[in-house]
Amino acid sequence: MMKFKQTLFVSGLCLIVFIIGADSFVIAPLLPAIERGFQINLSQAAFAVSAYAISYAVGAPLLGPLGDRYPRKRLLLTGIGLFILGSWLCAVAPTIMSFYLFRAMAGIGAALTLPNVWALIGQTFRGRQRNVIMGITMSALSLSIAIGVPLGTWVAQLASWQSAFWLSAGLSAVALLGLSVVIPSATMVKRSITYLRSYQAVWASHQTCLTLVVTLIWMTGFYSVYTFLGTFATTQFHLNTLQVGELFSLYGACNFVASFFSGHLMTHVGALKAVRVHGTLSALMILGMVVGRHSLVIVAVSLGGLALVQGLGVPALTTYVVNLLPAQRSTVTAFNSSFLYLGLTLSSLVGGLGYAWIGFSGIALVAAGMLLLAVGLTVLVERVSGDEEDFFER
């Protein structure tokens, strides 16, 4: 059983992961209000999403090696501080250009925060406990979709769109204060690893490179479906905005439950096997949406199933990544986060073009193929990984 201080430590990590997750997704339903507030068009408002995502995708690998050289506690708290400052400035931004800048600042803060969250878990916990804590912490991302986004939009509707950023900054400040007290002192050990050595270690490892490619392909495929599900549901079933939100809340709730308990599954079957099994099941759930595309019930059931298997598979993949190179944990997790956001960016760009040509069904078929390709690559990863049981004792 975890000690009380460890419980507070994990709770603080869950809180900041929840806030950053909600901040990443809540911007989408706020775009019309931002458009009106700055008197711009929707495409200009939507660039706020890109400013955040690009800053994260570029910032994560640039900042990642810092966690392998300097105390992760200090870097984590600095990242949260930048995120708070960026969120607060977004709430008071006088122009759309300054809003872009402050969203980018928040993205940099998130890029410094989340990789060090995963690295701290890998450094602080061992074996079965590490698997469980990783699953619990990652479930906070799912919870941010299920209740964080509706909460943010409700607050924005009650007051103004700026209120969502005030709320994000305020809750982040609570997490900052709490974590500054409870992060274990063992994380203050200083390392003498240079930027170049960190990058060399990552790219010299075939196992690490292959796993990062698995992340990229997996996330590109998954987000291709997730990004355009709302558009498909609106046109196919004539759902309104609230009903589409309920559909995504269903996904978030199911994903949260699966993520929360994913650590126990990893302990029994191994992380890489869990990735393989649930990647395959994810492809089948997506195919279920294609087959049952004329029935809202079948689509909803398939979406719930996809949420469950994603909630079991993605934490397993992240846990596997965390354990790849213990001396370069921050760098590896930073690249993994960057590849995740790159997958999100690619799915939006390519999927946006593909949706007009092949529709949602075509995109879903391609996505299912990409997930199966990612699963196939795990076979190559396993061949160069050695004994997985020994691997997870690192």
Side-chain angles (χ1 to χ4, degrees):
M1 184 176 180
M2 289 191 302
K3 296 178 181 179
F4 179 67
K5 191 171 182 179
Q6 284 184 328
T7 302
L8 292 178
F9 171 47
V10 175
S11 298
L13 294 181
C14 286
L15 178 58
I16 194 60
V17 169
F18 170 83
I19 296 166
I20 290 177
D23 186 85
S24 300
F25 292 106
V26 77
I27 186 71
L30 297 181
L31 290 181
I34 294 172
E35 176 187 359
R36 292 190 299 269
F38 288 113
Q39 297 182 334
I40 55 177
N41 60 43
L42 186 58
S43 63
Q44 289 173 314
F47 187 74
V49 179
S50 301
Y52 182 94
I54 292 172
S55 296
Y56 191 111
V58 174
L62 291 178
L63 298 171
L66 294 176
D68 299 322
R69 187 175 184 183
Y70 300 107
R72 287 171 180 150
K73 175 178 180 178
R74 184 188 307 165
L75 293 172
L76 178 67
L77 298 181
T78 300
I80 297 174
L82 278 174
F83 180 79
I84 292 171
L85 181 60
S87 298
W88 177 75
L89 290 172
C90 280
V92 298
T95 65
I96 187 60
M97 293 304 296
S98 61
F99 185 75
Y100 293 154
L101 176 63
F102 301 143
R103 280 300 288 168
M105 180 186 297
I108 292 294
L112 186 56
T113 299
L114 287 186
N116 280 296
V117 168
W118 314 134
L120 278 171
I121 293 173
Q123 177 181 317
T124 307
F125 302 100
R126 294 290 180 271
R128 178 181 179 275
Q129 191 180 36
R130 177 190 292 161
N131 295 342
V132 171
I133 298 305
M134 183 65 73
I136 290 174
T137 307
M138 289 208 70
S139 71
L141 283 174
S142 308
L143 196 62
S144 71
I145 301 173
I147 67 173
V149 174
L151 176 62
T153 53
W154 177 78
V155 170
Q157 192 170 27
L158 190 65
S160 65
W161 64 264
Q162 290 93 338
S163 302
F165 293 99
W166 286 119
L167 179 63
S168 180
L171 291 176
S172 298
V174 173
L176 176 66
L177 292 174
L179 287 171
S180 65
V181 176
V182 300
I183 292 180
S185 57
T187 64
M188 297 295 289
V189 178
K190 187 174 181 179
R191 301 165 180 82
S192 57
I193 301 175
T194 65
Y195 253 77
L196 183 60
R197 285 180 58 191
S198 291
Y199 287 135
Q200 286 176 334
V202 170
W203 297 117
S205 170
H206 298 298
Q207 179 186 3
T208 302
C209 292
L210 282 171
T211 306
L212 292 175
V213 172
V214 169
T215 294
L216 177 62
I217 295 174
W218 180 305
M219 293 305 169
T220 302
F222 166 71
Y223 279 116
S224 294
V225 172
Y226 187 86
T227 300
F228 298 98
L229 179 62
T231 302
F232 165 72
T234 300
T235 56
Q236 181 72 16
F237 304 112
H238 308 291
L239 302 183
N240 59 37
T241 302
L242 179 61
Q243 290 169 325
V244 171
E246 291 173 348
L247 198 61
F248 281 106
S249 291
L250 167 68
Y251 177 90
C254 293
N255 194 257
F256 165 72
V257 172
S259 297
F260 192 87
F261 294 103
S262 63
H264 300 284
L265 178 68
M266 279 186 274
T267 299
H268 291 294
V269 305
L272 200 58
K273 185 175 181 180
V275 170
R276 188 173 298 128
V277 169
H278 294 103
T280 302
L281 290 175
S282 293
L284 292 177
M285 292 300 107
I286 291 173
L287 291 176
M289 290 185 192
V290 176
V291 174
R293 62 187 178 278
H294 299 298
S295 169
L296 179 58
V297 173
I298 295 177
V299 170
V301 170
S302 299
L303 180 64
L306 178 62
L308 290 172
V309 293
Q310 283 284 307
L312 294 169
V314 175
L317 181 57
T318 303
T319 301
Y320 192 81
V321 169
V322 163
N323 289 279
L324 284 169
L325 296 172
Q328 287 82 30
R329 275 200 175 102
S330 292
T331 303
V332 174
T333 54
F335 270 104
N336 192 62
S337 294
S338 179
F339 276 41
L340 186 154
Y341 272 83
L342 181 58
L344 173 59
T345 303
L346 289 174
S347 67
S348 299
L349 294 176
V350 178
L353 296 174
Y355 193 91
W357 295 342
I358 58 179
F360 180 78
S361 294
I363 288 177
L365 289 174
V366 173
M370 295 186 75
L371 281 162
L372 292 176
L373 175 59
V375 168
L377 285 176
T378 63
V379 177
L380 295 178
V381 173
E382 190 172 38
R383 288 180 180 176
V384 298
S385 67
D387 187 345
E388 190 175 357
E389 293 302 317
D390 291 339
F391 171 75
F392 274 92
E393 290 303 316
R394 292 180 188 175

